[in-house]
Amino acid sequence: LQKILILLQVTLSVVVGKTLMILFPNAMKRYILKMGEKSRMCQNPKFSYENWGPTFFSFKYLQFVLKVKWKRLEDEAYEGHSAPNTPVVTLGGEVCHVLDFMKDNRPLILNFGSCT
């Protein structure tokens, strides 16, 4: 049911966005550029609007957004439920899953941090 609701929401967003791009191309370009500023895409001088702007609200855009949103559904954790078995990459580059690291009946502890 959640996937169907996401499909409807994203499809409606793409249809409205594509329609607005056709009817008001200059206004939509300004809007998309503002979105690009928030994500810092516009800071790369080699990556102009013409490279990525027209891809917004395309079929490939729809597919990508759906894939990301549907994947996030699998990664959500809820109190009292089983932990999600999220894919991870080892330092050696091997792709495995978090629950692959569980041993016998010992608790699995995940420690998150950052280095600068």
Side-chain angles (χ1 to χ4, degrees):
L1 181 60
Q2 285 180 317
K3 284 189 174 185
I4 292 171
L5 290 174
I6 290 171
L7 172 67
L8 292 174
Q9 175 198 17
V10 173
T11 303
L12 179 63
S13 171
V14 168
V15 168
V16 169
K18 191 64 159 178
T19 303
L20 290 173
M21 281 183 83
I22 292 168
L23 296 175
F24 309 103
N26 293 332
M28 286 303 288
K29 181 177 179 178
R30 286 192 305 271
Y31 173 73
I32 291 171
L33 283 170
K34 280 187 181 182
M35 288 179 13
E37 288 172 10
K38 289 180 184 177
S39 67
R40 295 190 225 159
M41 273 196 308
C42 296
Q43 291 180 356
N44 184 345
K46 295 182 181 179
F47 201 52
S48 67
Y49 171 81
E50 287 71 25
N51 293 355
W52 56 270
T55 64
F56 272 68
F57 310 116
S58 65
F59 183 68
K60 285 195 181 257
Y61 173 88
L62 171 70
Q63 288 177 310
F64 176 76
V65 173
L66 286 175
K67 180 181 172 184
V68 169
K69 287 186 174 271
W70 286 346
K71 184 67 181 155
R72 285 185 181 163
L73 286 176
E74 299 168 10
D75 292 342
E76 291 183 13
Y78 298 98
E79 186 177 344
H81 292 84
S82 298
N85 198 12
T86 305
V88 293
V89 179
T90 67
L91 293 174
E94 178 187 351
V95 177
C96 49
H97 291 81
V98 168
L99 298 182
D100 295 342
F101 295 95
M102 290 194 66
K103 304 286 185 209
D104 301 322
N105 62 352
R106 296 182 314 172
L108 176 64
I109 298 173
L110 302 176
N111 184 12
F112 298 94
S114 64
C115 298
T116 53

